[in-house]
């Protein structure tokens, strides 16, 4: 996987929630103060240079054209020189300002993202991903703009002071006349921004609404098409787009009402300067050049005064955005690591002791769950849908913490372990695996980025994935589409199993990890897996008899507690509710065994053959393998297990790409 070097943020947001948003953000600005100060300093020099130009024009007109005491070219060169110097200085100032802005943005983005990756599942259950996206993009931008461009706008406004001083030095009454329009422009600018502000917020939130619909359309395109929902989605989008259009129209109405007034005010100012200045020239109180210079100043001063209004609006928006960002940053993770966490290699003894757990939304999932799994044991957790099977896995890896009771691994509370070390040693394969838009090699090697090709291939073979991977156009180098949608569900599951196996964790949790794989393929995967499961503690959340067949022991869960435990055969005989659950989760397999719902014990128990035939309660078959043994040792070569395996780039078997029964040897 290609990784660019990560630079930690240079500053942090002040965690003191009693401070104003600006003071909390100040460390970010301070971290780049030299860059910002250089930019502001240059900007100030640029403005001083710029202010000289109308004055030079005035002297040129008065001396070279009216009095004819000096050559015109001297002044032309001066004006041109000042213009070029001003241009260069402004260019540098802008470059430094933009650099400051992007540095602040970089820091903020990293601060937010490093916080987000530390947040537990409970946090993601509460927030919407679209909202988080917006907080990490447009909200960051709004704050960054204000922090970097705000001071720059203030500096721009100082042009008024320089210009006013210069004008006063030329002609005091005319200077006052020229400045008359400015406060009016500033007041109108602020009023206009105030009127526009709510509408621009409305536009932002409505655009976010459109983005959510588009996002759901793209991500949920398979469901939309499967249910022929295109027209409904189009209508939904049209309505949202209509709301955006309405907000834009309101914005246009307000702007068209205010802008012409603001634009014509300086022109009125010029008329006033011409009237008063002209009268003064006639009376001999000032020069013609002064009228020209003052007109330039009136035009030059207009943008900064208008920007004052913009700055107020930027400030309001930045404050709101900062609060949204702080809301995320001020949410602390409920999953806290122990002060002196244990870093130990896990053997794999798991104990759930009276574990109670309720999800943050109030759904009660576990009610005093007691479960003991010996090191190296393979246990199938069976239960009706919603009985709490996956929750067991989530609590084991501390995606959530139990509300009451204790979960221990090797006799130590899971809360005592170093979090990363604990999760490193628990390989979880979910039923809906997530693949990244990178190569298959990189997807499998996600947990061990430096893994060599041989290890990756060995893991793929064990997961029954090597065969179909080799038939893909670029083999292991094939880049899977977004979330791996270019692969079938079963293929994605096999890659996820390979990903977990490559890490070689002492505890493996297969959460219905082969649900999308054909039963015969699943059997083959299991035979390869059984060699790897022997000395590894494995919890298999099972929905199929064929999956249960892998386990040494079955744990029947109902309503968040363990109902019964024993081998499959024992439970079939002793626990009528087991048969009922089997009949509800795998009717075909249960029928093969003669199990009929509701709760009728099957005559003879194991009499039927079918999918599970003879495989139950057998457990690991290739004993003796060390947990520490490499996958390559356990799965010697691709050719042995997959005789049909072709080298990468070999001819792809037509039609095999989306088929779950491909590429695995019996
Ligand atoms: N993130 C969550 N937030 C709130 N409630 C949840 C969450 N995940 C699961 N639940 C609820 O907790 C209960 C147990 O869920 P769990 O996923 O453990 O069941 P399960 O036995 O694995 O079900 P299935 O066989 O359908 O996967 C269910 O009522 C479920 O709705």
């Amino acid at each position: 996987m290609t990784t660019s070097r990560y630079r930690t943020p240079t500053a942090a947001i002040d965690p003191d929630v009693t401070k104003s948003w600006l003071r909390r953000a100040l460390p970010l600005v301070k971290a780049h103060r030299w860059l910002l100060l250089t930019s502001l300093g240059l900007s100030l020099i640029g403005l001083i240079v710029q202010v000289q130009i109308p004055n030079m024009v005035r002297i040129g007109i008065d001396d070279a054209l009216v009095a004819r005491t000096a050559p015109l070219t001297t002044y032309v060169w001066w004006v041109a020189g000042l213009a070029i110097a001003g241009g260069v200085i402004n260019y540098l100032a802008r470059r430094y300002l933009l650099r400051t802005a992007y540095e602040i943005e970089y820091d903020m983005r990293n601060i937010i993202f490093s916080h987000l990756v530390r947040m537990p599942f409970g946090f993601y259950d509460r927030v919407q991903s679209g909202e988080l996206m917006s907080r990490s993009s447009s909200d960051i931008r709004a704050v960054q703009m204000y922090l970097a461009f705000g001071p720059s706008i203030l500096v721009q406004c100082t042009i008024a002071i320089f210009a006013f001083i210069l004008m006063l030095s030329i002609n005091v009454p005319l200077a006052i006349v020229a400045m008359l329009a400015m406060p009016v422009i500033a007041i109108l600018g602020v009023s206009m921004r105030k009127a526009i502000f709510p509408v621009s917020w409305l536009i932002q939130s409505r655009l976010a609404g459109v983005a959510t619909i588009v996002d759901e359309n793209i991500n949920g395109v398979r469901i939309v098409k499967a249910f022929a929902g295109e027209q409904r989605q189009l209508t939904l989008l049209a309505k949202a787009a209509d709301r955006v259009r309405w907000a834009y129209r309101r914005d246009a109405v307000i702007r068209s009402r205010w802008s012409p007034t603001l634009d014509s005010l300086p022109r009125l100012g010029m008329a006033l300067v011409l009237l008063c200045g002209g009268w003064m020239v006639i009376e001999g109180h000032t020069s013609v050049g002064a009228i020209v210079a003052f007109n330039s100043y009136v035009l030059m001063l207009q943008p900064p005064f208008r920007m004052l209004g913009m700055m107020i609006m930027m400030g309001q928006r930045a404050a709101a955005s900062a609060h949204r960002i702080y809301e995320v940053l001020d949410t602390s993770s409920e999953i806290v690591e122990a002060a002196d966490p244990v870093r130990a290699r896990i053997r794999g003894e798991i104990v759930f002791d009276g574990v109670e757990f309720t999800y943050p939304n109030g759904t009660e999932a576990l009610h005093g769950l007691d479960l003991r799994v010996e090191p190296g044991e393979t246990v199938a957790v069976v239960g009706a849908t919603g009985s709490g099977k996956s929750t067991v896995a989530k609590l084991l890896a501390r995606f959530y913490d139990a509300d009451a009771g204790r979960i221990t691994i090797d006799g130590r509370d899971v809360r005592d372990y170093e979090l990363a070390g604990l999760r490193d040693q628990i390989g979880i394969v979910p039923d809906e695996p997530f693949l990244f838009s990178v190569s298959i090699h990189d997807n499998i090697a996600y947990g061990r980025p430096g893994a060599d090709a041989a290890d990756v291939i060995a893991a793929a073979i064990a997961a029954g994935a090597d065969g179909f991977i080799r038939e893909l156009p670029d083999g292991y180098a094939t880049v899977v589409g977004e979330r791996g949608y270019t692969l079938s569900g079963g293929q994605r599951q096999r890659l996820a199993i390979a990903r977990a196996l490559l890490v070689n964790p002492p505890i493996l949790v297969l959460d219905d990890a082969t649900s999308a794989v054909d039963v015969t393929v699943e059997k083959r995967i299991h035979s390869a897996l059984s060699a790897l499961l022997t000395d590894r503690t494995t919890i298999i959340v099972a929905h199929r008899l064929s999956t249960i067949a892998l386990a040494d022991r079955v744990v029947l869960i109902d309503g968040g507690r363990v109902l019964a435990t024993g081998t499959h055969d024992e439970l079939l005989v002793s626990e009528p509710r087991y048969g009922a659950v089997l009949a509800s989760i795998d009717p075909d397999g249960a029928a093969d065994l003669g199990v009929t719902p509701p709760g009728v014990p099957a005559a003879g128990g194991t009499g039927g053959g079918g999918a599970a035939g003879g495989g139950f309660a057998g457990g690991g078959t290739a004993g003796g393998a060390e947990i520490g043994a490499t996958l390559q040792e356990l799965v010697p070569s691709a050719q042995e297990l997959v005789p049909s395996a072709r080298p990468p780039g070999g001819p792809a078997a037509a039609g095999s790409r989306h088929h779950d029964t491909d590429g695995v040897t019996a």
Side-chain angles (χ1 to χ4, degrees):
M1 202 181 293
T2 50
T3 48
S4 67
R5 212 159 53 81
Y6 170 71
R7 177 165 64 75
T8 47
T10 2
I13 302 276
D14 192 329
D16 186 351
V17 292
T18 59
K19 288 184 178 168
S20 72
W21 81 265
L22 201 54
R23 284 186 63 199
R24 290 188 66 185
L26 226 49
L28 288 178
V29 182
K30 278 188 184 158
H32 306 290
R33 61 185 174 282
W34 294 119
L35 219 49
L36 183 63
L37 287 176
T38 310
S39 153
L40 296 181
L42 283 169
S43 171
L44 201 65
I45 298 169
L47 288 172
I48 294 170
V49 171
Q50 219 175 308
V51 164
Q52 302 307 321
I53 295 174
N55 195 31
M56 197 50 71
V57 173
R58 174 187 72 88
I59 301 169
I61 290 172
D62 290 345
D63 291 1
L65 301 183
V66 180
R68 297 185 184 248
T69 52
L72 182 66
T73 46
T74 313
Y75 298 101
V76 172
W77 281 119
W78 264 108
V79 171
L82 285 170
I84 291 167
V88 172
I89 295 167
N90 280 336
Y91 159 77
L92 289 173
R94 191 138 193 96
R95 264 193 70 165
Y96 282 114
L97 186 68
L98 287 174
R99 261 189 67 187
T100 315
Y102 295 137
E103 288 291 336
I104 292 175
E105 189 174 324
Y106 176 91
D107 280 354
M108 283 181 74
R109 190 156 285 141
N110 280 305
I111 288 168
I112 293 180
F113 195 66
S114 62
H115 185 79
L116 285 180
V117 292
R118 271 187 270 118
M119 294 312 279
F121 275 40
F123 172 79
Y124 290 99
D125 288 345
R126 290 191 297 272
V127 296
Q128 288 184 337
S129 57
E131 221 182 278
L132 282 183
M133 300 280 191
S134 130
R135 285 177 207 214
S136 15
S137 54
S138 53
D139 282 340
I140 288 182
R141 194 128 262 238
V143 174
Q144 168 258 81
M145 288 275 282
Y146 187 71
L147 293 181
F149 287 83
S152 167
I153 292 176
L154 278 183
V155 168
Q156 302 268 327
C157 288
T158 56
I159 192 178
I161 299 168
F162 292 116
F164 192 48
I165 293 169
L166 252 173
M167 285 193 280
L168 285 176
S169 72
I170 299 166
N171 188 310
V172 176
L174 204 55
I176 293 166
V177 169
M179 288 299 279
L180 272 182
M182 297 310 150
V184 185
I185 289 176
I187 292 165
L188 286 181
V190 171
S191 310
M192 173 176 135
R193 295 296 167 182
K194 271 190 183 161
I196 285 178
F197 183 66
V199 184
S200 66
W201 260 122
L202 203 63
I203 291 172
Q204 287 300 319
S205 69
R206 291 187 173 182
L207 280 174
V210 170
T212 307
I213 295 174
V214 172
D215 181 59
E216 279 181 0
N217 260 333
I218 293 168
N219 283 318
V221 67
R222 288 153 189 87
I223 303 296
V224 171
K225 288 199 178 297
F227 287 89
E230 289 96 333
Q231 199 50 49
R232 214 173 335 141
Q233 292 302 114
L234 276 176
T235 314
L236 216 60
L237 189 81
K239 276 186 187 162
D242 214 38
R243 285 195 287 271
V244 175
R245 189 172 52 183
W246 182 89
Y248 269 127
R249 277 194 189 149
R250 284 292 318 148
D251 185 75
V253 167
I254 297 170
R255 278 179 201 275
S256 53
R257 205 176 283 157
W258 290 86
S259 289
T261 319
L262 274 163
D263 288 342
S264 42
L265 264 174
R267 286 170 208 135
L268 287 175
M270 285 166 79
L272 210 60
V273 167
L274 187 63
L275 175 71
C276 300
W279 177 78
M280 285 182 195
V281 170
I282 293 165
E283 293 296 313
H285 299 307
T286 194
S287 64
V288 177
I291 298 178
V292 177
F294 276 53
N295 273 336
S296 299
Y297 285 128
V298 170
L299 287 182
M300 194 186 276
L301 290 179
Q302 185 223 2
F305 275 95
R306 278 186 82 159
M307 270 195 263
L308 270 180
M310 198 166 104
M311 218 186 102
I312 291 171
M313 192 189 79
M314 272 169 66
Q316 286 173 329
R317 180 172 287 184
S321 290
H323 283 124
R324 277 211 294 263
I325 291 172
Y326 295 166
E327 220 179 297
V328 175
L329 295 180
D330 295 339
T331 311
S332 51
S333 170
E334 307 97 67
I335 308 291
V336 186
E337 200 168 59
D340 188 15
V342 176
R343 296 176 189 87
R345 179 72 185 168
I346 286 171
R347 250 179 348 106
E349 182 210 53
I350 301 167
V351 177
F352 278 68
D353 182 11
V355 173
E356 311 263 346
F357 178 68
T358 300
Y359 279 100
N361 71 349
T363 309
E364 295 177 13
L366 299 185
H367 296 278
L369 185 114
D370 293 309
L371 174 66
R372 182 183 190 89
V373 187
E374 298 302 331
E377 195 184 14
T378 299
V379 165
V381 180
V382 178
T385 177
S387 54
K389 303 181 294 292
S390 303
T391 308
V392 169
K394 289 177 192 164
L395 262 58
L396 185 65
R398 284 196 78 195
F399 293 153
Y400 301 89
D401 271 340
D403 301 326
R406 238 162 79 92
I407 302 169
T408 62
I409 296 179
D410 298 347
R412 235 194 279 268
D413 198 307
V414 284
R415 294 169 213 235
D416 295 340
Y417 286 96
E418 185 199 35
L419 207 52
L422 175 78
R423 291 179 182 164
D424 257 358
Q425 298 187 73
I426 303 176
I428 296 188
V429 185
D431 60 341
E432 280 173 29
F434 184 93
L435 296 181
F436 296 93
S437 310
V438 293
S439 72
I440 287 189
H441 172 102
D442 289 345
N443 264 301
I444 295 177
Y446 187 76
R448 248 181 73 195
D452 57 33
D455 283 343
V456 170
I457 292 171
I461 291 171
D466 182 73
F468 83 79
I469 296 172
R470 284 173 190 273
E471 286 172 357
L472 294 174
D474 296 316
Y476 281 82
T478 308
V479 174
V480 300
E482 199 187 29
R483 296 183 190 191
Y485 281 144
T486 51
L487 301 173
S488 74
Q491 289 170 334
R492 286 200 296 273
Q493 285 191 335
R494 282 181 264 170
L495 291 186
I497 295 173
R499 175 160 63 192
L501 291 177
L502 184 68
V503 180
N504 197 18
I507 297 176
L508 184 65
V509 181
L510 301 172
D511 188 353
D512 207 14
T514 46
S515 59
V517 179
D518 183 88
V519 176
T520 51
V521 174
E522 189 192 24
K523 259 179 128 179
R524 294 167 195 159
I525 295 174
H526 286 170
S527 67
L529 271 184
S530 58
L532 294 163
L533 299 189
T534 315
D535 282 344
R536 194 188 303 274
T537 306
T538 308
I539 296 179
I540 305 175
V541 174
H543 275 109
R544 286 204 302 226
L545 277 165
S546 50
T547 318
I548 297 169
L550 250 196
D552 303 323
R553 192 158 58 91
V554 177
V555 173
L556 179 64
I557 289 191
D558 187 44
R561 60 170 72 88
V562 174
L563 277 190
T565 176
T567 65
H568 168 77
D569 295 342
E570 286 165 7
L571 287 185
L572 267 186
V573 175
S574 65
E575 182 51 65
R577 286 170 293 187
Y578 180 56
V581 168
L582 285 188
S584 71
I585 60 174
D586 186 0
D588 292 344
D592 284 343
L593 288 173
V595 176
T596 48
V600 181
T606 55
F616 297 120
T621 52
E626 294 285 318
I627 284 286
T630 65
L631 283 160
Q632 278 187 77
E633 283 169 321
L634 290 164
V635 185
S637 78
Q639 298 309 319
E640 264 180 60
L641 276 157
V642 188
S644 61
R646 269 186 286 270
S656 63
R657 193 165 163 186
H658 293 283
H659 202 274
D660 287 336
T661 55
D662 60 338
V664 184
T665 48

